[in-house]
């Protein structure tokens, strides 16, 4: 037998349930609503890819699916958020809802670029690897202190797993999602990057020698020509500045990235890229009281009237439900009566009503109870009769039959028999 292969645990996909005290990991369903076209379908796929591993990458929606269908399966599957993309004649919209009671944030997607478009613009696009086995980090920038900003930032934070600085592994910081709010345009810039580290203090050629297995020396007479060819500052040299240089606290993924080494952080955009605008916030699950609206402003009186109208609709809906339930019971009773009439018309015996059956059952219980009481009275009478007979035998003195405990018990002497037979009723 060959040698067993050693398992590589550095890049192993984390399994849920290993730590019983772990914080609950949020999960997200990303779906479309209605006909959206191929471009928006590609955006749905890119957002699912971004949310890995805590999402359903191969989720398929049907035309007859409704929101309540996904809400019904969200609880058993541990889904906490819905991201719903739709398309209208005015543009593309995105809703983020907390399952199952809200709130719901509605965004207008001003512009977007798919992941394949981002990769096509890059000179050396990065191939996806094991970085999608762990959830990305979230960075929020320039979100204000207003109520809608606080609620929006909280919803975004709850979509991603929380970070525990004391137990977090540095190798898990593989991707980052950046959300930047522009207060002038009121737009949110959505970016998705891959995190990598590069050596600092050396030229670009030396970096290639260190980070690659075999450098490409084609066209060079000596390796010194390859190393000394760059006499000007390149893009990688600019990244070695003090603002982007860190000291690794743990071993990081990649070649020669050991603890306490100086490395420069480099971000490579993966996509998708979006520009969002917050339009509306609702208290419920895609429904309920409007907490914020960017286009419509209401006075306190209008808000109060709107709340009263919403409560009225809820009461009317409850009344309709009760009426429907009563109609269902009535129809079932009518159907049962028609069946019974048809059975009697065809020669069948009429069935007893439930009240008659209950009365008959009560009568049977009463009979059984009386029979049990009579049986108990008979047992008491027999016991009293036996006691009276014992008293009579004790009054007879020597004439009473004698019972023996010997082996021949049950046999009576002739004298006893004669005495017993000689007694008359008068005596």
């Amino acid at each position: 037998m060959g040698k067993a292969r050693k398992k590589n645990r550095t890049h192993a996909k984390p399994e849920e349930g290993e730590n019983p005290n772990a914080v609950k990991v949020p999960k997200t369903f990303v779906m479309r609503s209605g006909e959206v076209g191929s471009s928006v379908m590609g955006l749905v796929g890119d957002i699912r890819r971004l949310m890995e591993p805590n999402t359903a990458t191969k989720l398929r929606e049907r035309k007859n699916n409704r929101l309540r269908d996904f809400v019904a399966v969200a609880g058993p599957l541990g889904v906490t958020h819905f991201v719903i993309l739709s398309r209208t004649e005015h543009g593309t919209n995105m809703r983020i809802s907390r399952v199952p009671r809200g709130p719901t944030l509605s965004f207008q997607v001003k512009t977007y670029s798919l992941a394949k478009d981002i990769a096509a613009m890059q000179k050396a696009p990065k191939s996806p690897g094991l970085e999608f086995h762990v959830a990305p980090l979230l960075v929020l920038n320039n979100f204000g202190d207003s109520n809608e900003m606080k609620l929006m930032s909280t919803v975004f934070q709850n979509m991603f797993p929380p970070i525990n600085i004391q137990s977090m592994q540095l190798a898990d910081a593989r991707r980052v999602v950046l959300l930047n709010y522009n207060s002038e345009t009121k737009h949110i810039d959505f970016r998705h990057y891959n995190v990598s580290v590069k050596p600092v203090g050396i030229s670009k050629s030396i970096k290639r020698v260190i980070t690659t297995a075999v450098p490409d020396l084609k066209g060079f007479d000596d390796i010194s020509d390859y190393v000394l060819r760059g006499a000007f500052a390149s893009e990688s040299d600019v990244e070695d500045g003090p603002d982007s240089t860190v000291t690794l606290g743990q071993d990081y993924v990649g070649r020669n990235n050991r603890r306490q080494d100086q490395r420069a952080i480099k971000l490579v955009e993966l996509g998708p890229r979006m520009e969002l605008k917050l339009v509306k916030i609702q208290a419920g699950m895609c429904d309920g009281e409007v907490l914020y609206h960017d286009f419509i402003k209401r006075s306190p009186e209008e808000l109060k009237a709107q709340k009263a109208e919403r409560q009225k609709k809820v009461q009317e809906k409850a009344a309709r439900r009760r009426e429907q339930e009563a109609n269902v019971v009535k129809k079932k009773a009518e159907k049962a009566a028609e069946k019974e009439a048809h059975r009697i018309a065809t020669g069948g015996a009429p069935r007893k009503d439930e009240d008659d059956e209950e009365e008959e059952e009560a009568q049977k219980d009463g009979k059984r109870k009386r029979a049990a009481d009579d049986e108990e009275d008979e047992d008491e009478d027999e016991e009293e009769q036996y006691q009276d007979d014992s008293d009579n035998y004790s009054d007879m003195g020597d004439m009473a039959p004698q019972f023996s405990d010997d082996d021949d018990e049950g046999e009576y002497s002739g004298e006893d028999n004669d005495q017993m037979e000689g007694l008359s009723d008068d005596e």
Side-chain angles (χ1 to χ4, degrees), residues 146-177:
S146 60
N147 294 332
E148 60 271 14
M149 291 293 106
K150 291 180 180 179
L151 180 58
M152 183 166 51
S153 60
T154 302
V155 171
F156 282 128
Q157 289 173 1
N158 292 335
M159 291 178 64
F160 298 90
I163 300 174
N164 189 348
I165 302 298
Q166 298 179 352
S167 61
M168 177 184 175
Q169 296 295 322
L170 189 60
D172 293 339
R174 309 289 296 275
R175 294 182 294 140
V176 60
V177 174

Side-chain angles (χ1 to χ4, degrees), residues 353-364:
D353 296 336
E354 293 183 358
D355 296 339
D356 297 340
E357 291 180 357
E358 291 179 359
E359 185 177 354
E360 185 177 351
E361 188 67 24
Q363 291 177 358
K364 289 182 179 179

Side-chain angles (χ1 to χ4, degrees), residues 74 77 123 279 372:
L77 296 179
K123 183 178 180 180
V279 176

Side-chain angles (χ1 to χ4, degrees), residues 61-95:
E61 311 92 335
R62 296 181 180 179
K63 293 182 179 180
N64 57 350
N65 285 139
R66 297 292 181 266
L67 183 62
R68 59 177 177 269
D69 300 332
F70 296 99
V71 174
V73 301
L77 296 179
V79 178
T80 58
H81 292 82
F82 286 169
V83 177
I84 307 171
L85 283 94
S86 59
R87 184 179 179 182
T88 63
E89 57 182 5
H90 301 291
T92 305
N93 302 316
M94 182 176 72
R95 288 174 293 174

Side-chain angles (χ1 to χ4, degrees), residues 133-388:
H133 287 180
V134 292
L137 306 178
L138 178 66
V139 177
L140 301 177
N141 183 47
N142 204 25
F143 280 76
D145 296 332
S146 60
N147 294 332
E148 60 271 14
M149 291 293 106
K150 291 180 180 179
L151 180 58
M152 183 166 51
S153 60
T154 302
V155 171
F156 282 128
Q157 289 173 1
N158 292 335
M159 291 178 64
F160 298 90
I163 300 174
N164 189 348
I165 302 298
Q166 298 179 352
S167 61
M168 177 184 175
Q169 296 295 322
L170 189 60
D172 293 339
R174 309 289 296 275
R175 294 182 294 140
V176 60
V177 174
L178 174 63
L179 297 176
N180 178 62
Y181 180 75
N182 190 336
S183 58
E184 296 181 358
T185 60
K186 294 184 179 181
H187 291 176
I188 302 171
D189 297 323
F190 187 100
R191 299 290 186 271
H192 179 212
Y193 296 98
N194 175 68
V195 181
S196 60
V197 296
K198 301 294 181 183
V200 296
I202 54 179
S203 65
K204 187 175 181 180
S205 301
I206 297 296
K207 289 179 184 179
R208 289 185 177 178
V209 174
I210 295 175
T211 57
T212 58
V214 179
D216 185 8
L217 300 178
K218 182 176 62 175
F220 298 94
D221 297 333
D222 190 77
I223 193 172
S224 60
D225 298 335
Y226 177 82
V227 172
L228 300 176
R229 62 176 180 160
F232 54 89
S234 63
E235 179 183 358
S236 298
D237 295 332
V238 174
E239 292 175 355
D240 295 347
D243 295 337
S244 60
T245 303
V246 297
T247 301
L248 298 180
Q250 301 175 5
D251 293 344
Y252 194 68
V253 292
R255 188 178 180 188
N256 297 325
N257 295 325
R258 300 183 181 88
R259 183 179 179 183
Q260 301 299 331
D261 288 347
Q262 292 286 331
R263 291 291 184 267
I265 303 297
K266 184 177 181 180
L267 301 180
V268 179
E269 189 172 2
L270 298 175
R273 178 190 299 180
M274 291 185 290
E275 188 176 349
L276 308 175
K277 179 179 176 62
L278 179 64
V279 176
K280 182 172 60 173
I281 300 177
Q282 293 174 286
M285 180 72 179
C286 298
D287 195 4
E289 181 182 358
V290 178
L291 305 177
Y292 169 82
H293 205 293
D294 187 60
F295 302 128
I296 302 175
K297 305 297 182 183
R298 298 184 184 274
S299 62
E301 292 77 10
E302 292 176 341
L303 292 175
K304 186 176 180 180
Q306 183 182 9
K307 185 176 181 180
E309 184 179 357
R310 188 177 299 107
Q311 291 178 353
K312 182 180 177 181
K313 288 183 179 180
V314 171
Q315 294 175 359
E316 291 176 353
K317 184 177 180 180
R320 287 196 302 270
R321 182 176 292 277
R322 289 193 297 268
E323 184 179 356
Q324 290 174 357
E325 292 176 354
N327 291 336
V328 169
V329 174
K330 182 179 178 181
K331 288 181 179 180
K332 286 183 178 181
E334 291 177 355
K335 192 173 182 180
E338 291 177 0
K339 280 177 151 185
E340 182 67 15
H342 177 71
R343 196 173 64 82
I344 294 174
T346 54
R351 293 183 178 178
K352 297 180 181 180
D353 296 336
E354 293 183 358
D355 296 339
D356 297 340
E357 291 180 357
E358 291 179 359
E359 185 177 354
E360 185 177 351
E361 188 67 24
Q363 291 177 358
K364 289 182 179 179
D365 292 340
K367 288 181 180 179
R368 285 195 292 267
K369 187 175 180 181
R370 285 194 298 271
D373 293 341
D374 295 342
E375 227 175 280
E376 187 176 355
D377 293 341
E378 290 179 1
D379 293 340
E380 291 179 356
D381 294 342
E382 289 180 0
E383 185 177 355
E384 291 177 358
Q385 183 65 30
Y386 178 77
Q387 187 68 28
D388 294 341

